[in-house]
């Protein structure tokens, strides 16, 4: 009996000790939990705050910077100001957002030397907004930009400015940057002398130049860029700047292989523009030097202006027709564009494009994306076209209203046949009813 009583007392003592230990362990854990759940936000590591700030819109970032001194310091760290887009409009005439003038002053004062990737987006057509962009440009004397973009979402903006005022502001960036690699300046009064300044200061670093609709630039001006900027990999310009000399300069041994060339062929008034012809030998030299180049051509011409084009083989890969195109022109496309990857035609006349589509399918062996918009095609010819191209057609678009039923296929049957040859479910597009 005594031995049993001692055993029970020992077990009871051991149980009490275990309970006491568990209680202490629970209290310690509870204290730790309280510490974890009550962090000192002001002392978070700056790099963590910086990562959070990088995902915030500018206005939210500015509000967050007022929380405490530590967050305000992060708000002014150089990493947050390397990439910036100035949005400019006149608040009195527009409800679109704009970069606050006080913030612009602060950027010029404290962060102009941090800016590297900058764009100016003029979201209205006012001359005042374009002038504001130029005023900011002219103050970037301490900058070392790597990319610069001047974007007008509503024309004419920059073209309304005095040419000398615009050139003076742009030259500030060209002279002070020294390492500019990307320049996008569509619809601006940039000219040949300013391009020479660009080349003199950034010839070793320039890789991308996009400058469509710049009427003060001549073929000689763009040729100067190609002759001196041997690292240029992407180029976009209007057709009137394209020349045999330019293609040969881009094909020289000193020049790197071009990766992307975009040509805009635009006519505002029918019969007013004379289009020249590029020699086949120039295209051949160009494609021999840069065999993997993407040659993109946008055509906004009237029917009678297509005569100089598609007369012999050209290495175009992406072809877009923004206006109605005749059967004759599309027939020539099939015969002269063997490298074609993408074809988009907004419309044609009232004659079906059956033979032209079959020719394109036969000769354009790399074609993988087609948009036919409002181009009339018989159902049989369309199915045959898809059958010849097969599963490589990753994109295929045509309006249901322009498909012409025939004895072989109705509109109800065509999507089954096309889906079968594509290897996926496909339906034609439908005209909105509203």
């Amino acid at each position: 009996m005594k031995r049993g009583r001692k055993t029970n007392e020992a077990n009871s003592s051991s149980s009490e000790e275990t309970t006491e230990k568990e209680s202490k362990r629970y209290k310690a854990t509870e204290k730790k939990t309280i510490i974890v759940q009550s962090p000192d936000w002001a002392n978070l590591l700056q790099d963590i705050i910086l990562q959070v700030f990088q995902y915030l819109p500018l206005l939210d970032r500015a509000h967050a910077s007022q929380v405490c001194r530590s967050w305000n310091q992060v708000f002014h760290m150089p990493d947050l100001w390397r990439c910036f887009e100035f949005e400019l409009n006149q608040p009195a005439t527009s409800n679109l957002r704009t970069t606050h003038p006080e913030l612009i002053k602060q950027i010029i004062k404290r962060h102009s030397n941090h800016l590297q990737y900058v764009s100016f987006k003029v979201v209205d057509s006012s001359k005042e907004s374009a002038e504001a962009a130029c005023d900011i440009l002219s103050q970037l004397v301490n900058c070392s930009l790597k990319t610069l973009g001047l974007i007008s979402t509503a024309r004419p903006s920059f073209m309304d400015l005095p040419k000398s005022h615009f050139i003076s502001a742009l030259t500030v960036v060209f002279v002070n940057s020294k390492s500019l690699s990307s320049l996008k300046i569509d619809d601006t009064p940039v000219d040949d002398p300013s391009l020479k300044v660009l080349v003199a200061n950034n010839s070793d670093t320039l890789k991308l130049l996009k400058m469509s609709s710049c009427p003060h630039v001549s073929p000689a001006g763009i040729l100067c860029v190609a002759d001196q900027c041997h690292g240029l990999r992407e180029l976009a310009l209007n057709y009137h700047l394209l020349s045999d000399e330019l293609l040969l300069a881009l094909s020289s041994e000193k020049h790197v292989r071009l990766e992307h060339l975009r040509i805009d062929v635009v006519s505002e008034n029918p019969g007013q523009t004379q289009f020249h012809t590029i020699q086949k030998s120039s295209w051949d030299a160009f494609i021999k030097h840069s065999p993997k180049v993407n040659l993109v051509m946008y055509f906004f011409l009237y029917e009678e202006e297509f005569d100089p084009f598609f007369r012999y083989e050209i290495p175009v890969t992406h072809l877009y027709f923004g206006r109605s195109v005749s059967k004759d022109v599309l027939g020539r496309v099939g015969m002269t564009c063997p490298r074609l990857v993408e074809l988009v035609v907004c419309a044609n006349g009232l004659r079906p494009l059956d033979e032209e589509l079959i020719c394109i399918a036969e000769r354009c062996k790399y074609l993988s994306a087609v948009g036919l918009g409002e181009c009339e095609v018989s159902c049989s010819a369309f199915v045959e076209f898809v059958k010849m191209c097969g599963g490589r057609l990753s994109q295929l678009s045509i309006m249901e209203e322009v498909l012409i039923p025939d004895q072989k296929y109705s509109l109800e049957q065509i999507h089954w046949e096309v889906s079968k040859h594509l290897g996926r479910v496909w339906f034609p597009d439908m005209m909105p009813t509203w």
Side-chain angles (χ1 to χ4, degrees):
M1 292 292 293
K2 291 181 178 180
R3 183 179 299 172
R5 189 180 299 116
K6 288 181 180 180
T7 302
N8 291 337
E9 289 176 355
N11 290 339
S12 176
S13 176
S14 176
S15 177
E16 290 176 0
E17 289 178 2
T18 301
T19 303
E20 185 176 355
K21 288 180 180 179
E22 290 179 351
S23 177
K24 289 180 179 180
R25 188 182 300 114
Y26 174 79
K27 289 179 179 179
T29 304
E30 187 179 30
K31 290 180 180 180
K32 290 180 181 177
T33 303
I34 293 174
I35 292 173
V36 171
Q37 291 180 345
S38 303
D40 184 358
W41 292 104
N43 293 324
L44 279 175
L45 295 175
Q46 282 194 338
D47 58 342
I48 297 178
I49 304 173
L50 178 63
Q51 292 180 29
V52 174
F53 272 35
Q54 288 174 337
Y55 289 97
L56 292 178
L58 179 61
L59 187 59
D60 293 342
R61 193 189 302 170
H63 288 158
S65 71
Q66 301 174 18
V67 171
C68 62
R69 182 178 300 173
S70 177
W71 287 27
N72 186 262
Q73 290 174 350
V74 174
F75 179 70
H76 291 290
M77 290 179 69
D79 286 353
L80 284 178
W81 299 100
R82 290 198 174 100
C83 179
F84 195 83
E85 180 179 80
F86 293 92
E87 293 184 302
L88 304 168
N89 67 53
Q90 300 305 301
T93 58
S94 174
N95 294 322
L96 299 172
R97 65 180 182 181
T98 185
T99 306
H100 197 280
E102 290 302 319
L103 177 59
I104 293 175
K105 291 180 181 178
Q106 189 175 131
I107 293 172
I108 297 299
K109 181 180 179 180
R110 301 186 61 171
H111 302 293
S112 63
N113 59 325
H114 302 147
L115 295 173
Q116 293 183 6
Y117 310 93
V118 174
S119 62
F120 292 83
K121 186 176 181 181
V122 178
V123 296
D124 60 7
S125 58
S126 70
K127 180 179 177 181
E128 290 78 10
S129 296
E131 285 179 339
C134 287
D135 289 341
I136 298 171
L137 273 175
S138 63
Q139 297 179 65
L140 299 181
V141 293
N142 296 320
C143 70
S144 184
L145 298 188
K146 293 184 178 179
T147 70
L148 173 64
L150 301 180
I151 305 166
S152 296
T153 58
R155 297 181 181 180
S157 293
F158 291 107
M159 292 302 298
D160 271 351
L161 298 178
K163 179 183 169 185
S164 58
H165 179 43
F166 176 83
I167 295 301
S168 175
L170 192 63
T171 301
V172 169
V173 176
F174 289 171
V175 170
N176 290 281
S177 289
K178 304 296 184 184
S179 59
L180 197 61
S181 63
S182 175
L183 180 63
K184 300 178 183 180
I185 46 174
D186 291 345
D187 300 296
T188 63
V190 63
D191 59 6
D192 290 358
S194 58
L195 288 183
K196 289 183 179 180
V197 176
L198 168 69
V199 169
N201 292 276
N202 301 273
S203 62
D204 294 334
T205 58
L206 190 65
K207 294 181 179 179
L208 182 151
L209 178 61
K210 187 175 184 292
M211 45 175 295
S212 296
S213 302
C214 297
H216 301 295
V217 175
S218 72
I222 195 67
L223 180 60
C224 173
V225 176
D227 271 336
Q228 301 297 322
C229 300
H230 297 145
L232 195 66
R233 296 183 181 275
E234 297 185 39
L235 180 62
L237 42 78
N238 284 90
Y239 184 80
H240 77 273
L241 295 178
L242 186 67
S243 64
D244 295 292
E245 293 79 10
L246 176 61
L247 288 177
L248 294 176
L250 294 171
S251 307
S252 69
E253 293 182 2
K254 295 180 180 180
H255 205 286
V256 300
R257 291 177 177 177
L258 208 67
E259 297 173 359
H260 190 93
L261 175 61
R262 169 175 167 165
I263 307 296
D264 292 344
V265 192
V266 182
S267 172
E268 301 293 344
N269 302 304
Q272 298 291 323
T273 306
Q274 295 295 323
F275 292 98
H276 59 285
T277 301
I278 301 296
Q279 295 180 14
K280 185 178 184 301
S281 58
S282 301
W283 283 122
D284 291 343
F286 174 68
I287 201 64
K288 182 179 179 181
H289 182 265
S290 302
K292 296 183 179 181
V293 66
N294 286 319
L295 176 56
V296 183
M297 298 188 76
Y298 283 80
F299 281 87
F300 295 89
L301 302 184
Y302 297 93
E303 184 174 339
E304 61 272 19
E305 297 175 315
F306 275 99
D307 189 62
F309 302 99
F310 307 110
R311 290 299 178 183
Y312 52 80
E313 191 171 298
I314 59 173
V316 61
T317 56
H318 298 73
L319 190 54
Y320 305 91
F321 293 100
R323 293 180 182 148
S324 181
V325 185
S326 68
K327 283 171 62 71
D328 176 62
V329 171
L330 288 175
R332 282 151 48 191
V333 166
M335 299 298 294
T336 60
C337 304
R339 297 180 74 245
L340 198 60
V341 173
E342 183 173 7
L343 174 65
V344 176
V345 184
C346 78
N348 76 310
L350 300 177
R351 299 164 59 193
L353 297 175
D354 295 4
E355 299 84 359
E356 290 72 22
L357 273 185
I358 299 303
C359 177
I360 290 172
E362 288 176 343
R363 296 182 61 86
C364 302
K365 301 298 185 180
Y366 305 103
L367 191 64
S368 61
V370 176
L372 296 176
E374 299 180 17
C375 299
E376 291 196 354
V377 185
S378 71
C379 287
S380 293
F382 188 73
V383 170
E384 183 63 21
F385 168 76
V386 176
K387 181 179 179 180
M388 295 173 69
C389 292
R392 74 169 186 267
L393 281 177
S394 60
Q395 297 180 40
L396 179 63
S397 173
I398 190 171
M399 302 299 297
E400 184 182 60
E401 289 77 6
V402 299
L403 286 168
I404 305 172
D406 50 34
Q407 294 180 349
K408 197 169 183 180
Y409 298 105
S410 66
L411 290 176
E412 290 74 24
Q413 296 171 317
I414 191 171
H415 78 89
W416 293 109
E417 283 296 316
V418 172
S419 297
K420 179 177 68 176
H421 295 301
L422 289 178
R424 65 179 187 277
V425 177
W426 178 88
F427 287 95
D429 298 332
M430 299 185 67
M431 191 77 72
T433 56
W434 58 87

